[in-house]
Amino acid sequence: KRSIARTNDETRFEAMDLSFHQAVRQGFLALARQEPQRIVVVDASRPVEEIQKKILATLSEWFGNILV
């Protein structure tokens, strides 16, 4: 359980410099390339409706048509 006193720590990643964020992104993209059956990259710069369709399509593919 998170302590309320730690809420100021919630911005610690945002405070890191750009090179940190680029390295983290590259790490996640590398994992996605290594394990495409487990990790899907979603282009969040697309319109919300397209993002939603991509996520729902992926979930339906993985878990069947259980989503309504």
Side-chain angles (χ1 to χ4, degrees):
K1 186 174 178 181
R2 287 186 166 182
S3 168
I4 293 175
R6 294 192 63 197
T7 55
N8 290 338
D9 290 345
E10 295 302 315
T11 59
R12 66 188 178 279
F13 288 109
E14 288 81 1
M16 301 298 287
D17 66 10
L18 181 59
S19 63
F20 168 81
H21 291 283
Q22 289 171 331
V24 170
R25 181 176 188 272
Q26 290 307 313
F28 279 116
L29 290 174
L31 285 172
R33 284 190 299 275
Q34 292 170 8
E35 301 189 51
Q37 73 286 354
R38 190 172 77 88
I39 302 170
V40 174
V41 177
V42 177
D43 182 356
S45 70
R46 307 297 306 157
V48 172
E49 295 80 14
E50 287 182 32
I51 297 168
Q52 181 182 24
K53 284 180 184 178
K54 171 68 173 177
I55 292 170
L56 290 175
T58 300
L59 291 173
S60 290
E61 181 181 317
W62 285 358
F63 300 109
N65 226 356
I66 60 172
L67 302 172
V68 177

